[in-house]
Amino acid sequence: MTIPAFLLTVVGAVGVFAVAPKTFISSSALVLTLPVTGGSVPSDPKFPNPRTNPLVSFDQGLSMTSSILIQALNTPQIAAKVGAPIGGDVTLKITSGGTNPEMMPATPFIVITCEAPSAELAHGIVVKVTALAQQELRDRQQQVKAPPTTYVGATVVVPPTQPDEKKGSRMRAAVVTGALAFFMSLFAAFAAESFARHRRARRPAMGEPMRLEPVTSNGTRSLAGLEG
């Protein structure tokens, strides 16, 4: 019985892996940078702000701006707008690159990750959210009437990646199903064997028939095994 149980396990695991829904992952990353003339406008035009390299001009203000953008993009309205409604089969994550929300203001990065049932959908949503993050940054700076020359930029450091299939969940489902099928098959085999043994033990011994004794004087009869 162990060989059929093993075959059933293999077939079940392969079947679950084949029919389990596929998931594809795409991601992108942006970094916020200051303009080369800094984040302020000189009070005297004759003495402009010195020009600096945006990639070495990081401060806590950029991290706070990144945190504000992440909070603004992580809303049900934005998710529905880009095609990843809450509760659907698409998972959209916008973070600063870490898994701890308390560390969100620590970096000027915005990392966008999307898991979807198709490669095209995952990549398309990441492209939309990347462009939306840049537009949201410009809109918010316009709302606070910041001087255009001081606008913070959102530079794409990792363009939307080609989607990769996430096989871990399918593999885990196949392993769990295979393990359950194996143990259930063994249990069924042992149960069937135990039931068969119990039935064989209850059968009367062959070749030892029981016969009735003649009626006695008081009108009763007794059972006894007659000698052959």
Side-chain angles (χ1 to χ4, degrees):
M1 295 294 290
T2 55
I3 295 179
F6 175 75
L7 293 178
L8 179 61
T9 300
V10 174
V11 172
V14 173
V16 169
F17 184 82
V19 302
K22 295 182 179 181
T23 302
F24 296 87
I25 301 177
S26 180
S27 61
S28 69
L30 302 91
V31 63
L32 304 187
T33 57
L34 290 171
V36 293
T37 55
S40 60
V41 176
S43 56
D44 188 350
K46 295 181 180 180
F47 299 96
N49 291 331
R51 296 172 61 87
T52 58
N53 187 338
L55 295 182
V56 298
S57 299
F58 295 103
D59 58 23
Q60 190 65 26
L62 292 177
S63 300
M64 184 58 64
T65 303
S66 172
S67 177
I68 293 172
L69 277 178
I70 291 173
Q71 295 291 343
L73 295 172
N74 274 313
T75 61
Q77 293 78 12
I78 294 297
K81 181 178 180 180
V82 298
I86 304 298
D89 55 358
V90 177
T91 302
L92 177 62
K93 296 181 181 178
I94 305 171
T95 67
S96 60
T99 57
N100 186 0
E102 296 180 358
M103 296 298 293
M104 188 176 296
T107 69
F109 289 96
I110 299 175
V111 179
I112 302 164
T113 305
C114 179
E115 298 183 15
S118 69
E120 295 78 9
L121 183 59
H123 185 266
I125 290 177
V126 171
V127 171
K128 291 179 182 178
V129 178
T130 301
L132 187 60
Q134 295 173 315
Q135 182 62 47
E136 183 72 16
L137 178 61
R138 288 192 295 269
D139 292 345
R140 288 186 175 272
Q141 292 180 97
Q142 290 175 355
Q143 291 175 4
V144 297
K145 296 180 172 53
T149 57
T150 66
Y151 276 13
V152 174
T155 302
V156 178
V157 292
V158 178
T161 60
Q162 291 299 320
D164 291 327
E165 183 181 353
K166 183 180 179 181
K167 296 182 178 180
S169 57
R170 298 175 67 202
M171 184 63 69
R172 285 193 297 270
V175 171
V176 171
T177 302
L180 289 176
F182 179 74
F183 286 114
M184 291 180 66
S185 300
L186 289 181
F187 176 78
F190 284 123
E193 182 65 22
S194 177
F195 180 73
R197 289 180 180 177
H198 183 65
R199 291 195 62 183
R200 288 195 298 267
R202 294 185 60 183
R203 290 176 182 173
M206 299 300 295
E208 296 183 2
M210 302 298 292
R211 294 194 295 181
L212 295 176
E213 284 286 346
V215 179
T216 59
S217 58
N218 58 6
T220 61
R221 65 175 65 190
S222 61
L223 295 177
L226 299 179
E227 297 179 359

